[in-house]
Amino acid sequence: MFDITGQKRWGIIGDGQLARMLALDAYALGLRPVVLTGDSSSPAGQVSPLVVRGHVDSREDLHALLSQVDGAIIESEFVDCDALEATGLAEKVYPRTSAIRILQNKFEQKKLLESLGVKSSSFYPLDKKNMEGAVASLTHNFTKPIVLKFATFGYDGKGVLVLRGSGQRDQDLAGDFLLTATKRRIDVYAEDFVGFDRELAMIAVRGRDGTIKTWPLVITEQKSGVCERVTGPAVSLGIKKEIETEAQIACEKIGAHLGLVGVFAVEFFLTSSGDLVVNEIAPRVHNSGHFSQNAGCVSQFENHWRAVLGLSLGRTDTAPFFMMQNLLGPAEVTSKDCAQAPRGAESMHVHWYGKRGISPGRKLGHLNAVSHSVDNRGDLISAVQSAYGRWQEEQRQMFLNAQNAQKGPS
Ligand code: ADP
């Protein structure tokens, strides 16, 4: 399906920052992205003149989108697969709903990994009718910490609770967690806590013909469950090559088994005893792959399009050192309008999401930086860290000024 410019139309189901960066790279390939959104000033709505107004969970709205495009991609795995299939047009969507259904549920992911022989932490279902009782019996005679997780709809550490064996406090925390899950009709399961030295991630892209390419393994750093920084290639930063190879094999097994087409991400723990353990899989472009926009390779966004269009996949080898710093809203700054892209970040690339409003930990953009020698990384890391610190301080200052202006002269 072509629009008046003669360009092919492809749909994007979602309107956040991932959808925005996918839309921007779609233009570069000569596509016309059509975004499904209820808000044309959303991050993706702003950069995409063609929108279908609606909601990603509505069968009618999904039908309206899918009936006017050649194909479509998802921004988040938390799409309503029943609604998608009810449109009768789900075969236009990448990845397939059969794969999305498994990967949108962390408990199903665990079963998949077990069946593929890919290492992940041991996991336990909780009796839905008596979740509190099930947690109590898991934490009774506590020998090691356990983790409770929402099976669906968890993101940025929301939907994860680590119980460390502190008796009544654990029971109280678990009680609140289970109540939230029950209200939202989310299943909860438990998994063993992994004592890890590092968190790692790998993004992969798989073409329609089954060809798969992986970007280098990277080191991810989280703050309160939110990814703050990514550096790589991990192998240049002290991680053994065999670990990267293991990660590649895991990606290949997962991608081939599910018949994934497009980019997907696998997050790992590297345990203190040197084992690589999968934490979770995301069937889409991912925060841990944003470095690819400026690391001398073809970006995850462009490669995602190339894969679903059936084009040859772009190269995934990178510069000797790269870094991605998320621009997270600073502590105690909450405002409907106070946020500005960083200025003066000369040695780095700025990617701003155009979100309305700022709140602590909210992802508002990111900085990418690359170095042509891994030995020079110290200066680059300091430059990025100080640009981030300055930016957070500016946001804090703007917030305080806006608050003072509201109060008026005393
Ligand atoms: P989300 O989907 O919200 O990102 P994750 O499952 O990735 O949730 O968990 C968020 C963070 O919680 C992880 O990055 C890790 O730091 C910690 N975590 C999650 N599962 C475990 C586990 N089994 N053992 C130790 N830490 C964990």
Side-chain angles (χ1 to χ4, degrees), residues 106 149 155-157 160 191-194 199 269 279-280:
K106 288 185 184 174
K149 283 196 182 181
Y155 71 97
D156 285 349
V160 174
E191 62 183 50
D192 278 349
F193 179 84
V194 180
E199 293 193 66
F269 299 125
N279 174 25
E280 63 170 334

Side-chain angles (χ1 to χ4, degrees), residues 16-37:
Q17 69 261 24
L18 299 178
R20 176 185 176 102
M21 292 182 273
L22 284 162
L24 292 171
D25 272 17
Y27 289 112
L29 285 172
L31 298 173
R32 286 299 301 265
V34 187
V35 171
L36 175 57
T37 179

Side-chain angles (χ1 to χ4, degrees), residues 7-8 22-33 298-299 301-309 311-312:
Q7 290 169 309
K8 273 193 167 192
L22 284 162
L24 292 171
D25 272 17
Y27 289 112
L29 285 172
L31 298 173
R32 286 299 301 265
V298 171
S299 83
F301 303 101
E302 180 174 336
N303 256 334
H304 194 56
W305 286 118
R306 288 191 184 209
V308 299
L309 288 162
L311 304 175
S312 59

Side-chain angles (χ1 to χ4, degrees), residues 17-325:
Q17 69 261 24
L18 299 178
R20 176 185 176 102
M21 292 182 273
L22 284 162
L24 292 171
D25 272 17
Y27 289 112
L29 285 172
L31 298 173
R32 286 299 301 265
V34 187
V35 171
L36 175 57
T37 179
D39 176 7
S40 50
S41 66
S42 59
Q46 283 169 34
V47 301
S48 183
L50 292 179
V51 296
V52 168
R53 284 203 171 274
H55 195 268
V56 295
D57 287 338
S58 150
R59 185 187 65 79
E60 291 76 23
D61 299 339
L62 286 165
H63 188 272
L65 175 79
L66 294 175
S67 55
Q68 59 171 281
V69 294
D70 293 286
I73 56 172
I74 57 166
E75 172 183 47
S76 159
E77 55 278 25
F78 302 126
V79 284
D80 183 338
C81 290
D82 291 338
L84 265 178
E85 285 166 3
T87 62
L89 297 169
E91 78 283 357
K92 289 191 179 185
V93 180
Y94 293 93
R96 299 299 180 219
T97 48
S98 54
I100 302 174
R101 279 185 193 281
I102 295 172
L103 296 184
Q104 68 184 188
N105 185 313
K106 288 185 184 174
F107 191 74
E108 294 301 319
Q109 289 193 16
K110 288 284 199 185
K111 292 201 289 194
L112 168 78
L113 292 166
E114 192 174 55
S115 73
L116 294 177
V118 175
K119 263 183 265 172
S120 83
S121 61
S122 300
F123 59 107
Y124 318 92
L126 297 182
D127 178 1
K128 274 188 209 164
K129 291 193 200 92
N130 180 19
M131 285 210 279
E132 296 234 14
V135 172
S137 63
L138 270 177
T139 50
H140 188 63
N141 293 333
F142 220 93
T143 50
K144 57 186 176 192
I146 60 157
V147 184
L148 297 186
K149 283 196 182 181
F150 286 4
T152 51
F153 298 109
Y155 71 97
D156 285 349
K158 296 176 182 72
V160 174
L161 177 67
V162 179
L163 299 175
R164 292 180 190 273
S166 53
Q168 190 53 45
R169 192 178 134 72
D170 268 1
Q171 291 298 321
D172 294 347
L173 288 172
D176 290 347
F177 188 82
L178 296 176
L179 189 66
T180 310
T182 310
K183 278 190 192 149
R184 296 182 54 198
R185 297 184 186 186
I186 291 173
D187 290 343
V188 175
Y189 73 96
E191 62 183 50
D192 278 349
F193 179 84
V194 180
F196 58 83
D197 273 354
R198 290 215 177 263
E199 293 193 66
L200 306 172
M202 180 172 270
I203 47 166
V205 58
R206 189 165 178 278
R208 283 193 188 179
D209 63 355
T211 316
I212 187 160
K213 287 191 175 192
T214 53
W215 280 264
L217 186 67
V218 294
I219 297 173
T220 65
E221 293 168 56
Q222 347 288 324
K223 191 175 177 186
S224 314
V226 182
C227 173
E228 199 172 31
R229 188 169 308 120
V230 170
T231 47
V235 168
S236 309
L237 301 172
I239 304 294
K240 289 195 190 120
K241 182 73 189 153
E242 301 88 84
I243 293 291
E244 182 171 64
T245 308
E246 247 185 80
Q248 273 166 339
I249 293 169
C251 288
E252 284 163 13
K253 281 188 180 173
I254 295 164
H257 181 82
L258 295 173
L260 292 174
V261 174
V263 168
F264 60 100
V266 184
E267 294 182 86
F268 302 91
F269 299 125
L270 184 62
T271 69
S272 13
S273 47
D275 284 331
L276 187 71
V277 171
V278 172
N279 174 25
E280 63 170 334
I281 311 162
R284 54 169 167 81
V285 289
H286 193 258
N287 198 168
S288 64
H290 291 355
F291 70 84
S292 64
Q293 291 169 305
N294 304 106
C297 48
V298 171
S299 83
Q300 61 168 344
F301 303 101
E302 180 174 336
N303 256 334
H304 194 56
W305 286 118
R306 288 191 184 209
V308 299
L309 288 162
L311 304 175
S312 59
L313 305 177
R315 46 185 291 199
T316 52
D317 55 319
T318 64
F321 176 73
F322 53 80
M323 155 169 201
M324 188 281 318
Q325 172 72 52

